[in-house]
């Protein structure tokens, strides 16, 4: 039986995600931005929470943990490097570790950049990547604790996963990310088409998550820093991809 994945809004612009294993009944939340929306979806699906998989320590990803622990007997998994800052953490994981949710298995991928200990969870068989605040639909996270070079390496690791992989990120920023992407490459036909589809999805009151890594590799400016058109957009013709990426990220910070 395939895993079931539910995506729903939390807080002002966070994404809540639950992944459910029908074979065992195990259900994991990816991060816990806010307890109430998670509890509502669990109740609506008649699922019981068994695990929380934390991507990083920021308050808008961990504030729901303790209220959910009061309600369920759950295991909280998170990055070893940020264990001190994650309330209620039970199990620490590192790059290359495998985390089981019932019979579902996720590989832990270290993605330093947004925070130094940030990790992503890749469910290979389910073709699902939970990237937290590292890679967004049409964007990437702000770089708080590492160099742009390190963030670029982290993004390259995620971009190396199969194109069919569904990307679940930590925030619904896609429409504003699309505006920035169009400022960088205004005439890109694939980007224009995607931006129009995003506007229609948002106008209908729906989330734009998940996208696929194939879509991101084709249209996300931060994954395309190795392409001549992006280098030209930041006046770094023939520049290194990591430098083009850094220039794009600086531009976006002020956009
Ligand atoms: Zn964050």
């Amino acid at each position: 039986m395939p895993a079931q994945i539910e995506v729903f809004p939390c807080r002002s612009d966070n994404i809540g995600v639950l992944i459910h294993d029908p074979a065992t009944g195990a259900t994991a939340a990816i991060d816990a931005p806010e307890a109430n929306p998670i509890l509502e979806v669990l109740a609506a699906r008649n699922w019981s929470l068994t695990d929380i998989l934390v991507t990083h320590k920021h308050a808008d990803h961990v504030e729901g943990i303790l209220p959910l622990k009061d309600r369920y007997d759950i295991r909280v998994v998170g990055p070893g490097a940020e264990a001190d800052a994650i309330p209620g953490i039970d199990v620490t994981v590192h790059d290359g570790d495998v985390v089981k949710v019932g019979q579902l298995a996720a590989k832990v991928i270290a993605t330093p950049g947004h925070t130094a200990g940030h990790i992503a969870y890749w469910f290979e068989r389910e073709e699902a990547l939970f990237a937290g605040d590292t890679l967004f639909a049409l964007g990437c996270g702000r770089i708080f604790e590492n160099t742009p070079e390190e963030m670029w390496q982290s993004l390259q690791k995620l971009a190396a996963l199969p194109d069919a992989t569904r990307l679940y990120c930590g925030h619904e920023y896609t429409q504003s990310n699309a505006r920035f992407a169009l400022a960088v490459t205004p005439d890109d036909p694939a980007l224009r088409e995607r931006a129009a589809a995003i506007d229609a999805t948002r106008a209908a009151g729906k989330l734009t998550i998940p996208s696929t890594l194939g879509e991101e590799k084709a249209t996300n400016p931060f994954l395309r820093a190795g392409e001549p058109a992006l280098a030209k957009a930041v006046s770094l013709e023939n520049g290194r991809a990591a430098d083009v990426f850094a220039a794009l990220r600086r531009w976006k910070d002020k956009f």
Side-chain angles (χ1 to χ4, degrees), residues 1 20-26 103:
M1 276 181 286
H20 175 75
D21 175 22
T24 62
Q103 293 176 356

Side-chain angles (χ1 to χ4, degrees), residues 4 17-22 24-29 42 46-52 74 101-102 104:
Q4 295 167 266
V17 189
L18 292 171
I19 180 166
H20 175 75
D21 175 22
T24 62
T27 305
L42 288 166
N46 202 20
W47 293 344
S48 184
L49 193 65
T50 54
D51 303 271
I52 299 176
I74 50 177
V101 176
L104 311 175

Side-chain angles (χ1 to χ4, degrees), residues 142-164:
R142 278 180 189 267
I143 302 168
F144 289 120
E145 297 186 358
N146 294 86
T147 63
E149 182 87 36
E150 288 168 301
M151 183 64 152
W152 171 245
Q153 294 304 329
S154 293
L155 291 171
Q156 291 300 102
K157 282 199 227 174
L158 301 183
L161 303 179
D163 283 1

Side-chain angles (χ1 to χ4, degrees), residues 56 58 60-61 114 133:
H56 68 295
H58 284 157
D60 62 323
H61 294 255
H114 180 69
D133 288 359

Side-chain angles (χ1 to χ4, degrees), residues 81-144:
E82 299 184 353
D84 291 350
I86 298 170
I89 192 165
D90 299 301
V91 177
T92 58
V93 291
H94 301 88
D95 189 54
D97 287 350
V98 172
V99 179
K100 297 289 279 290
V101 176
Q103 293 176 356
L104 311 175
K107 189 173 172 194
V108 174
I109 302 173
T111 55
H114 180 69
T115 65
H118 195 296
I119 57 175
Y121 297 90
W122 177 40
F123 289 77
E124 179 175 9
R125 210 177 48 189
E126 286 67 37
E127 299 185 305
L129 172 67
F130 299 95
D133 288 359
T134 298
L135 176 62
F136 293 129
L138 278 181
C140 75
R142 278 180 189 267
I143 302 168
F144 289 120

Side-chain angles (χ1 to χ4, degrees), residues 136-139 169 171-180 194 198 202 207-209 211 216:
F136 293 129
L138 278 181
C169 55
H171 291 271
E172 177 61 64
Y173 291 155
T174 317
Q175 202 167 26
S176 62
N177 286 343
R179 270 184 224 113
F180 174 72
R194 187 175 176 196
I198 288 162
R202 295 303 286 155
L207 296 173
T208 63
I209 311 303
S211 57
E216 297 308 324

